[in-house]
Amino acid sequence: MAKIFIKFNAAIINEVELSKNEVRFGRKPDNDIVINNPAVSGYHGLFKKEGDGYVVEDLNSTNGTFVNGRRIKKSHLEDNDNIRVAKHILEFHTDSNAPKPKGLDIPIDPTQEAKKEVLRKSLGLPPESEEGKKEIDEKSEEKEEKKEPAPPPTPAPPSSSPPPISSSPPPTKPTFPSRPTAPQQKSKGSHAVIKIVSGAVGDQTEVPIRGLVTYIGSADQAVIKIKGFLAPGLAAAISQRPEGYFLKAVKPGYPKVNGNPVHEQALLESGALIECGGTNMVFYLSDDKKKGSEKEPH
């Protein structure tokens, strides 16, 4: 099945399977692929299956859709094509195999060809003559006949008595306690929320996580704003995947999760503390946050 790898600053932040005949992308949250960027139109474009392949089509977007650097209205897609939408790259990949070149289906044995060349020279024949091929094949057959076949292995005599049966039970493998696995993070109907606990910018105190990718930084396109001296425009991105929510470091080592610098990505569990510059925030799943708020005071 064909896939789209979503990239930002050369880092893959998400991947989407083209499981439907039409997959739409844009800034609005009801798109199949949501790109939170002011330069992206609400309904920017779509991927469409046509025959055995796919096309990408621009839906009259403001800033355009580019395939391998060329602005398009509609374009057929080949494996590894790059579709640029604002500052994001949507990389197209298909698992279909290219057809084999004709004439390369049967491999050539170089050892056999070398033997024939030696016989051809010893007979004084020109290369690739029909007579030479016939005599070479006959000489090869004579040499094969002279070889003595290896004697077949002697079968072991059948045992007259069955093998002894041990009275002790077979040894069992030691068992070790299984490593406890973390409970599944996402539950049906739950939504992620970021709660700003210190260093909020403006009146931003609680931000719901919508779409596949939500950016953290000081730039206009960042949904969650941060403070800090020389705070990067984009410091991190929270991506939503089937197995849970992940924080991806756009600036490696700058964001921290539970006090640990993130250089690539980290799985976010409900209650995780995120630090970016001078802004501290807590990641919650909405159902967990609601349960915590409904606890009776002591």
Side-chain angles (χ1 to χ4, degrees):
M1 181 178 294
K3 288 184 179 181
I4 295 295
F5 289 85
I6 305 170
K7 291 184 174 182
F8 186 82
N9 286 349
I12 297 175
I13 58 176
N14 204 5
E15 63 178 82
V16 178
E17 288 187 349
L18 299 182
S19 56
K20 302 192 298 185
N21 287 334
E22 291 189 359
V23 174
R24 190 175 59 194
F25 58 88
R27 194 181 69 255
K28 292 191 176 181
D30 57 339
N31 284 287
D32 300 297
I33 300 175
V34 179
I35 305 174
N36 287 324
N37 188 319
V40 177
S41 298
Y43 302 112
H44 198 101
L46 62 84
F47 297 101
K48 185 189 296 184
K49 186 171 178 61
E50 288 192 0
D52 295 332
Y54 288 87
V55 298
V56 60
E57 184 175 347
D58 184 85
L59 299 179
N60 298 318
S61 66
T62 302
N63 293 313
T65 303
F66 297 79
V67 175
N68 299 328
R70 181 175 57 89
R71 186 165 184 168
I72 56 93
K73 174 63 180 172
K74 184 176 181 181
S75 176
H76 177 74
L77 291 175
E78 300 290 342
D79 188 39
N80 210 34
D81 275 351
N82 285 335
I83 301 96
R84 181 169 65 82
V85 180
K87 293 186 177 182
H88 289 72
I89 297 294
L90 310 182
E91 194 171 277
F92 175 80
H93 286 279
T94 176
D95 55 359
S96 60
N97 296 322
K100 277 192 195 175
K102 292 182 179 179
L104 296 181
D105 293 335
I106 302 174
I108 298 173
D109 183 358
T111 306
Q112 188 66 20
E113 290 297 316
K115 289 179 181 178
K116 288 188 176 182
E117 182 64 24
V118 172
L119 286 172
R120 184 182 296 116
K121 289 180 179 180
S122 65
L123 293 170
L125 298 172
E128 295 299 325
S129 71
E130 292 301 323
E131 182 183 357
K133 287 182 181 178
K134 183 177 178 181
E135 292 194 30
I136 288 166
D137 290 337
E138 289 175 357
K139 294 284 184 182
S140 299
E141 289 175 5
E142 288 177 6
K143 286 191 175 183
E144 291 297 328
E145 288 175 1
K146 288 179 182 179
K147 289 181 181 179
E148 294 183 1
T154 306
S159 176
S160 58
S161 60
I165 301 174
S166 174
S167 58
S168 60
T172 58
K173 294 182 179 179
T175 58
F176 299 95
S178 59
R179 183 180 177 182
T181 57
Q184 187 175 0
Q185 186 196 63
K186 294 175 66 179
S187 59
K188 187 176 181 181
S190 66
H191 300 281
V193 177
I194 290 292
K195 177 76 174 178
I196 311 294
V197 294
S198 66
V201 176
D203 58 353
Q204 193 177 48
T205 58
E206 189 170 285
V207 182
I209 303 299
R210 297 190 178 97
L212 294 176
V213 182
T214 302
Y215 290 106
I216 302 172
S218 60
D220 292 339
Q221 69 190 83
V223 178
I224 303 171
K225 306 295 184 184
I226 62 172
K227 284 184 176 180
F229 181 67
L230 298 178
L234 293 176
I238 297 176
S239 61
Q240 180 182 355
R241 303 179 192 173
E243 60 268 28
Y245 290 87
F246 289 81
L247 183 133
K248 173 77 176 180
V250 179
K251 183 175 180 180
Y254 188 85
K256 297 180 180 179
V257 174
N258 297 326
N260 299 314
V262 178
H263 295 277
E264 293 185 0
Q265 65 180 15
L267 175 67
L268 293 176
E269 296 181 355
S270 189
L273 176 64
I274 302 171
E275 301 173 57
C276 275
T279 303
N280 296 328
M281 58 201 87
V282 179
F283 171 84
Y284 287 107
L285 290 176
S286 60
D287 50 356
D288 292 343
K289 188 172 182 294
K290 185 177 179 182
K291 288 175 185 177
S293 63
E294 291 175 354
K295 289 182 181 178
E296 294 182 3
H298 295 291

